[in-house]
Every structure is written in structure tokens, then in C-alpha cells.
Amino acid sequence: MLFKLSLRNAKRSMRDYLIYMLTMTGIVAFMFAFDSLIFTDIVQNMWETAMMMAVMIGFVTFFIILIVAWLINYMVHFMLEKRSLEFGTYLLLGMNKKKVSRLYMRENMILGTVSLVFGILAGILLQQVIMSVFYHLFSQDYQIQMGDFHWCLLLTAGCFGLCFLLALRHNRKIFKKMTISDLIEMEKKSEAVETGRERWKQWLFPASICYFLLFFILMYRGNYSIFGVILLSALFLAAIYLFYHGLAAWLVRYIHRGGKLVYRSDGLFLLRQLSAKMRTMRFTMGTLTVLFTIALLGGSVAMMFASYQKEAINQAVPFDLMLCSENPDDRFSEEFDFLKEEGVEISERQIYQVYRDDQHQMNDYLYTHVAGYGGRYTDKDGKPDRKAIAADTYNYYDYDTYMSLSDYNALRHLLGYADVSLKDSEYLLHVKNRVLKDIDDAFLHRPLSVGGRSLSFAGAHTEAFALNGVNGADYIIVVPDGTAKQMTAYYAAAAASFAKQPQAGLQEKLEAVYYHHRGMLTEKEADDLEMTLEDHKATEKEKLALKKTRAMENMPNGSDQIMTIGRYDVALKSEITVEMLSLISTLTFPLAYIALIFLCVALTILAVQQLSDSSRYRYRYDVLRKLGVSSRGINKIVRKQLSMYYLVPIAVSLFLSAFIGIFAGNRFVFYTGTTSSSLSYFVISVAVFMAVYLLYFAATYLGFKRNVEEVFVRLE
């Protein structure tokens, strides 16, 4: 009997709260699809990436569990309020409270089970889409496959089940403490609002706006400590909630004062509706604004890294093969012989030297003028701090780096760039675009003294050129061949193009050849040996090899920040690309995941609240109809009411996230030198956000309109 009643009530709840059910189904689908990334072949084949992906997905899943548990708890309590009179009636009729509680919990478990089953089915389809995108990211073909889902299924069901158990357990405790009187009066109590002290509360509205502006000013100035960031962020969060307390009070005062909008057409009706909703949902509206803001910012950051990843990789590793050695006479014969034995077809190659002239004018200038360094390498007189510069081993070489024109043109030919020409009295600078912006024209056009000769500036180039430690760090100065011959060879390098892409796994083998020939260890061997050192089992030869290996890790790689791809002594572009894309995807995919979930959760709360009001307050629209308002007029009022209700938290979150998102975009462009606009990341995120928003708004409007029209049909 109770099961049939639970089933009937669950069916009714599915119809009344369809948007909630669809959202829960969607959340399960996203959980299943994104959790499956941990078990993909590409990720599993890269142990380090698999660990990072698992950590990131786990970290994001923790917050998603919290927010989904909050959503379920909110909805279970919300439905309890709406049906409190029904449950009170059950108790009046003699039903045991434990049975009523069990009945309601069973209904919600049925709803959860339905969402889980349909969510997993949808998740299997969504998984194929996400897998296709993921494999396409690595330039690999993906064949639709229905593999073994048991681990992914257990993980998704476990997380979703935990959310439901937390929410149901909390509401069951509340239900046990309630009396018949509490249940009958519950819905009325939820509508009751505090009406006093509105006069001073209204000042929270402008005060919170003033704090938002102060927060943005301090953020753009850029002078903050860790404690300052924590304090300002905590106050920022508090200001969001206080904003709605102030807005609710301000609306009440505005209506009482008889503002201009009150007597415009349907202004009084709409303002009273909005005012009542603000006063009863102040905390909820603040929470929704926080969720919307996080969703927008998470989407923006994901867009930043997704759009920049391939550009960064190509800048650091533009050649199919790159080799670098501290020995300027190195010809890399062992490496090329090994590649030949492996059947790798090399179409072109260039072995060359990078030179120095025992000067560091360019390095000193960059240490003191690259904006990202601040005053880190400048003394109190504004001159280069020689002690700080000498201690640095990872930004620039000890001396300025040069390349001969013939080698430079040979490398440009490998990359498909046009050749350049220089007079015997000229030089050119190949530099990262981001760094070039920090160099004054006066410094660029100064005469350059090299090998006793004065050279004039002939121009600057900013194409991708391996300026992350191989062809210089951040820059390389190109001089005529005659001038280069008078300089000291600094180190050797080689670049090559392949006729066709080599087989996977060649990078690790080539590294072993390279390091073993030079008396060093591969990264894995070095890590294993360090563990052995704890037991004092390594020989002196092994310790020396480990020391040389670790010293190579501190070679200069330029001033890149946020996304840094350091110098590779051995680099196969195809495998480095896969490695870097996999690392970046551990950030972009989880960010997109959490942004979508937070957005859907927040929009679900908005939609369910309005659809509930359409049933509870539809008599108000009947009054409007009796006063002569046409059906078209009522539909117009409904659209306005929904627009105002949806607009408030979204407008506030757009305002807040716009300043933060554009600031983050500016910093990202500043530190990475990407050619994308800082505004573009936020605009794309907003476009996706608004597309989902319009879907929920349309569904809410149609459901609201249907509920209002139903009462008209019955009354007629």
C-alpha cells in the first residue's frame, strides 16, 4: 500500500518538478562522462597525467558533491514545505509519523533512482562526445566503443548516492521533530518575512556596491598579501549576501515611497512580486549569485588555457626534433644514428652553435625591464642587482646569446619562414612578442658592440622559434656570419624535420641514448636512484651521474609564467605536444565540468521556485483576468516577472565576474603574450552561459504559462 502511494506521489513529483529531474539526470550524465576521462587509454598510458587528472577530477567532484547535496537538500525541504499540509493530514488520519517519514523518503529515493538510471544512460552517450573531443585534442581518431564501465559506474553511483543520503538524512531529522501543527503551518511560516528595520537595512544595498568597487580597485592595483587576499575575498563573499538584504529592504522602501515605476502600467504588481521574493530568498539569491560567478569565471579560465595551449607548445617546440648540448662541438651523431636504426625518415636537419661575446647587456636590460619581474633583480638605485642575477639559473644565460645569419636562415627554412638578409654592419633580434613589448625603442635601436665591431639594429622577429632555452632564452641576437666567427661558441643544438611522424614511445628511447652517452640519467632513472640514496646503496659513479642530471634541470628557459614549457635537451614535437596537452586538459576539462554543474544547479533553483509560485499564486493572475487584463497581457506580465526574477542574480554575477574575468584575462595575456583578446575569453564564457540560461528560462516560461492557463480553464 505504502509503496503504491510512494510510486504515485513520485510520478506526480516528476511531473511537477520536471526541470529538477532533468537537471539531476544531466548532473549524473556529466559525472559519468567526466569521471570516465580517468579511465581513458590516453590518460592511463601516461601515469603522471593519470594521477593529475584523477586528483583534479576528485577535487572538483568533492565540491560538486557538496553543491549537489545542497541542491537535493534544498529541493527535498522545498517539496516538504509544499506538501506539509498533505503530510499533516496523513497524521491527522492516524498514520504513524515514522510511516509518513518513510513514505516521503521512499518517494525521493525513487526520484533519485530514476535520475541515476536515465543519467547513466545519457552519460554513456555524452561520454562518446567527450571522448571524441578528448581524442581530437591529441590529433587521434576515436572509434565509438562501449567498453567496461563498472569502475566509472561505481564512482558515479557512489558520489550521487552520497549526495542523496546526506540530504535525506538531514531532512529526516527535521521531519521527526515536527508536530502536526508544525506541518500544517510550515508553508505559511516559509512565506513569512521580517518586515522591521527596513530603513537601515536599505543602506546595505549601496554599501555592498561601494565595497565591490573598492575590491575591484584594489585588485587592479595589484598590491596584496596572502592575508589581504583572504580577508578581501571573505568580505567580498559577505557583501554578496548583504547586497540582497539591502536590495530587499530598498525595494520595500521604494514601493512605500511611491516611486515612479510603481504607478507605471503593471509596475506595482511586478515590484511587489519581486520584493516578496527577494525578502523570502535573500540567502538563496546570494548563493545563486556565488554559483553563477564561479561558473562564469571557471568557464573563462578554461577558455584561456584551451585557446592558448597549442600556441604555447608551438612557440616552445616548433621543430619536429630538437636537441641541445652544453658541449659546443657536439654533433649528435649517436642520436641521429639511433633514429636511423629506428627507421625514422629525416627530410632536413641543421646542426648549429649558439654564441656568446662575454657580455650581458641584453640580459641585464630584460632582468630590469620585463614587467613580470617587478623589482626582483633591481637594486635600490634602479640598476641591475648583480647578486640577485648571479643567483638566478632558470631565466637567462650568464651571457647574451647570438646566432649566425646562415644558421638562422636554415632554421627559418625548416619552419617554412622566409629568409632574411643582413648587411655586415647590422643585426636583428628574434624575441618573444610578450618580451618585445617591454623593450624601449631607444634600447632596440642602440648600436651593438660585438667583437670590436658596431652593429646597427635591422629589425625584430617574433615567430615561433624555440626561445625557451634552446635558441636562447626569450631572445636570440642574429649577426652576420663573419661576426659570429669571431665570437665564442656557447653550446650546440640541432633541429630536424621528419618525412613522416615517428612511432609513439620514441621520446623515452631517444632520451636514454642522449643522457647515457653523456654520463647522465633519464628522469625516471634519476628518481629511482634518489630513492636508493636513502639506503646508501648508490656508487660514486651513479652519484656523479645524478648530480650532472639534476644540474641540467636548472638550465635557463626564459621569463614565461602561468604556462611554462622549459628547455628540452631532447624533444620530439609529436610526443611533447601530447604530454603538454594532457597536462593542460587536467585543468580545462575539470573547470568546464564544475562550471556547467554549478550553472545548472543555480538555474534549477530559479526555475523550480518560479514554477512553484505559478501554482501557489495563480489566483493573483485570475484577479488580473477578472479586472480585464487579456491573456496576451497576462503572458506579457509573466514574461516580465520571470525576466526580473532571473535577471537579478545573473546581472549581479555578470557585473562581478566581468571585472574579475577581464582582469584575469589581462593578466593571462600579459604573462603569456598570447595574441588573443583578454575580453574574448569572458565573452565566450558568457555566450555559453546565456545559451544554457535561455534554455532554462524558456522551459520555466512555458511551464509557468501552462500552470496559469490551467486555472483559467477550470474557472471557465
Side-chain angles (χ1 to χ4, degrees):
M1 178 65 183
L2 285 179
F3 179 76
K4 289 183 179 179
L5 185 59
S6 298
L7 193 59
R8 189 203 68 182
N9 290 340
K11 289 179 180 178
R12 185 180 64 185
S13 295
M14 288 179 198
R15 183 182 68 252
D16 294 341
Y17 302 102
L18 181 60
I19 289 181
Y20 166 63
M21 291 296 296
L22 290 176
T23 298
M24 295 305 296
T25 300
I27 287 173
V28 172
F30 279 114
M31 275 188 177
F32 184 87
F34 278 95
D35 288 346
S36 66
L37 288 176
I38 303 173
F39 306 103
T40 59
D41 292 337
I42 288 182
V43 174
Q44 288 289 308
N45 290 336
M46 293 177 285
W47 184 84
E48 183 178 353
T49 302
M51 289 297 294
M52 288 185 64
M53 180 67 80
V55 169
M56 286 300 297
I57 291 290
F59 181 73
V60 168
T61 300
F62 171 75
F63 287 100
I64 286 175
I65 287 174
L66 293 181
I67 203 64
V68 172
W70 175 76
L71 170 65
I72 297 171
N73 179 69
Y74 181 91
M75 289 302 304
V76 171
H77 191 73
F78 181 79
M79 288 187 280
L80 178 61
E81 287 181 356
K82 304 309 168 194
R83 297 177 56 195
S84 57
L85 187 60
E86 174 190 339
F87 294 139
T89 304
Y90 287 158
L91 294 177
L92 281 173
L93 292 174
M95 188 178 289
N96 185 281
K97 183 188 286 189
K98 185 178 289 187
K99 287 186 178 180
V100 177
S101 174
R102 192 178 300 149
L103 171 71
Y104 184 56
M105 297 304 139
R106 190 176 292 169
E107 290 174 21
N108 281 279
M109 290 179 69
I110 292 172
L111 295 179
T113 303
V114 171
S115 297
L116 180 63
V117 171
F118 282 95
I120 288 175
L121 293 176
I124 293 173
L125 298 177
L126 182 61
Q127 179 200 38
Q128 305 305 316
V129 176
I130 291 180
M131 288 300 178
S132 179
V133 172
F134 194 71
Y135 273 72
H136 177 73
L137 184 65
F138 296 94
S139 301
Q140 295 190 21
D141 294 329
Y142 176 71
Q143 301 294 330
I144 294 177
Q145 49 187 302
M146 306 298 288
D148 187 1
F149 300 132
H150 67 280
W151 287 114
C152 187
L153 185 62
L154 286 173
L155 181 60
T156 304
C159 292
F160 188 73
L162 179 61
C163 294
F164 250 93
L165 288 175
L166 290 173
L168 293 180
R169 188 171 181 271
H170 176 70
N171 280 275
R172 189 173 184 178
K173 286 183 178 180
I174 295 174
F175 193 88
K176 283 183 177 180
K177 296 177 181 179
M178 299 185 74
T179 63
I180 296 176
S181 176
D182 292 333
L183 287 168
I184 293 175
E185 297 293 327
M186 187 177 184
E187 187 172 8
K188 294 180 181 179
K189 287 180 181 179
S190 68
E191 297 173 22
V193 294
E194 184 183 350
T195 56
R197 300 190 295 275
E198 303 296 337
R199 186 182 298 276
W200 71 264
K201 280 186 180 180
Q202 67 178 330
W203 293 107
L204 292 174
F205 178 47
S208 57
I209 294 176
C210 289
Y211 179 77
F212 292 148
L213 297 176
L214 175 64
F215 178 86
F216 297 142
I217 291 170
L218 294 175
M219 180 178 66
Y220 274 85
R221 283 187 176 180
N223 297 319
Y224 22 67
S225 62
I226 295 176
F227 175 76
V229 170
I230 295 173
L231 178 62
L232 288 173
S233 299
L235 292 174
F236 182 81
L237 193 64
I240 292 176
Y241 288 93
L242 293 177
F243 172 86
Y244 286 102
H245 280 74
L247 178 60
W250 184 86
L251 283 171
V252 171
R253 297 288 298 171
Y254 182 82
I255 294 170
H256 287 171
R257 288 196 305 266
K260 292 181 180 180
L261 295 177
V262 173
Y263 299 107
R264 285 188 181 179
S265 182
D266 45 21
L268 178 60
F269 179 84
L270 292 173
L271 286 173
R272 289 296 297 268
Q273 291 281 82
L274 181 62
S275 173
K277 186 58 67 176
M278 288 294 107
R279 287 191 292 167
T280 57
M281 290 187 61
R282 287 173 294 197
F283 180 81
T284 302
M285 294 294 271
T287 304
L288 296 182
T289 300
V290 172
L291 292 179
F292 283 139
T293 303
I294 293 174
L296 282 166
L297 294 178
S300 297
V301 174
M303 294 295 175
M304 289 179 196
F305 285 96
S307 66
Y308 182 60
Q309 54 191 3
K310 289 194 175 181
E311 181 181 343
I313 294 168
N314 190 56
Q315 286 282 343
V317 193
F319 303 95
D320 289 344
L321 169 67
M322 295 173 58
L323 299 167
C324 191
S325 171
E326 287 184 299
N327 178 9
D329 297 321
D330 203 325
R331 306 304 293 173
F332 306 102
S333 56
E334 288 78 11
E335 288 76 18
F336 284 110
D337 288 344
F338 169 76
L339 291 173
K340 186 176 181 180
E341 292 173 4
E342 290 290 318
V344 178
E345 298 180 26
I346 297 176
S347 56
E348 293 182 79
R349 69 179 177 182
Q350 179 69 18
I351 302 172
Y352 57 98
Q353 294 174 320
V354 173
Y355 300 90
R356 62 181 174 87
D357 193 34
D358 297 338
Q359 298 185 68
H360 38 70
Q361 295 179 40
M362 177 63 77
N363 288 353
D364 287 349
Y365 184 87
L366 295 182
Y367 272 124
T368 55
H369 287 79
V370 169
Y373 291 146
R376 197 184 314 165
Y377 299 103
T378 307
D379 62 21
K380 60 183 179 180
D381 298 322
K383 296 180 180 180
D385 187 337
R386 304 263 33 116
K387 186 177 180 180
I389 291 174
D392 173 61
T393 60
Y394 50 85
N395 284 309
Y396 300 118
Y397 288 96
D398 293 336
Y399 302 102
D400 295 345
T401 48
Y402 298 82
M403 181 179 289
S404 69
L405 178 62
S406 59
D407 288 335
Y408 180 67
N409 277 328
L411 294 175
R412 289 182 67 87
H413 179 72
L414 279 174
L415 296 173
Y417 304 154
D419 288 355
V420 298
S421 59
L422 287 175
K423 296 178 182 178
D424 289 341
S425 60
E426 292 181 331
Y427 79 96
L428 66 82
L429 181 69
H430 200 117
V431 62
K432 293 177 181 177
N433 185 59
R434 170 184 55 80
V435 177
L436 181 60
K437 295 175 182 177
D438 293 329
I439 304 177
D440 295 333
D441 286 342
F443 183 83
L444 274 177
H445 291 85
R446 82 198 191 290
L448 182 67
S449 178
V450 181
R453 302 179 62 183
S454 180
L455 304 179
S456 60
F457 180 65
H461 290 261
T462 58
E463 302 99 329
F465 201 66
L467 297 174
N468 284 47
V470 178
N471 294 330
D474 277 355
Y475 73 93
I476 193 78
I477 300 170
V478 182
V479 296
D481 286 15
T483 303
K485 289 178 182 178
Q486 300 175 17
M487 303 173 74
T488 304
Y490 205 167
Y491 59 88
S497 294
F498 295 145
K500 62 180 181 179
Q501 289 301 321
Q503 61 183 1
L506 191 61
Q507 171 80 25
E508 188 175 347
K509 296 177 182 178
L510 189 58
E511 284 180 353
V513 172
Y514 176 91
Y515 289 117
H516 292 167
H517 175 68
R518 289 161 181 78
M520 292 185 288
L521 307 171
T522 65
E523 183 178 355
K524 185 178 183 304
E525 290 170 341
D527 292 339
D528 292 341
L529 183 58
E530 283 185 332
M531 296 179 66
T532 305
L533 285 174
E534 296 178 2
D535 300 327
H536 307 287
K537 295 179 180 178
T539 64
E540 289 300 320
K541 182 178 179 181
E542 289 174 328
K543 291 179 181 179
L544 179 61
L546 178 62
K547 184 178 180 181
K548 290 175 65 176
T549 303
R550 292 311 186 201
M552 290 293 290
E553 294 177 356
N554 295 322
M555 297 303 290
N557 55 54
S559 59
D560 285 349
Q561 300 183 48
I562 298 180
M563 185 183 293
T564 302
I565 302 177
R567 164 179 150 169
Y568 281 91
D569 298 310
V570 181
L572 287 171
K573 183 176 182 177
S574 58
E575 297 199 29
I576 298 299
T577 299
V578 171
E579 179 185 341
M580 294 308 303
L581 287 177
S582 64
L583 290 174
I584 295 168
S585 66
T586 62
L587 179 65
T588 55
F589 276 80
L591 280 174
Y593 175 30
I594 198 169
L596 281 170
I597 297 297
F598 277 28
L599 177 60
C600 291
V601 167
L603 287 172
T604 299
I605 299 294
L606 285 174
V608 169
Q609 278 285 342
Q610 282 300 293
L611 289 175
S612 173
D613 286 353
S614 69
S615 299
R616 184 167 47 176
Y617 298 134
R618 49 191 170 193
Y619 68 88
R620 296 178 180 178
Y621 297 96
D622 182 48
V623 172
L624 291 176
R625 185 179 68 87
K626 290 176 179 177
L627 289 173
V629 180
S630 64
S631 296
R632 179 177 295 181
I634 289 177
N635 288 339
K636 184 178 180 181
I637 292 174
V638 168
R639 284 196 299 272
K640 287 183 179 180
Q641 179 181 338
L642 291 179
S643 298
M644 291 174 65
Y645 180 68
Y646 265 78
L647 185 63
V648 172
I650 290 174
V652 175
S653 61
L654 283 172
F655 169 73
L656 299 178
S657 58
F659 281 93
I660 301 173
I662 294 172
F663 169 78
N666 282 330
R667 295 292 89 192
F668 189 81
V669 170
F670 175 79
Y671 285 119
T672 62
T674 180
T675 55
S676 301
S677 167
S678 59
L679 183 62
S680 63
Y681 306 121
F682 183 71
V683 170
I684 295 172
S685 181
V686 171
V688 176
F689 179 97
M690 293 307 295
V692 179
Y693 159 79
L694 290 174
L695 286 174
Y696 272 84
F697 181 84
T700 305
Y701 172 69
L702 292 174
F704 198 106
K705 181 181 173 184
R706 185 187 66 246
N707 289 344
V708 170
E709 288 175 348
E710 281 179 0
V711 71
F712 294 165
V713 172
R714 288 197 295 268
L715 290 171
E716 290 172 354

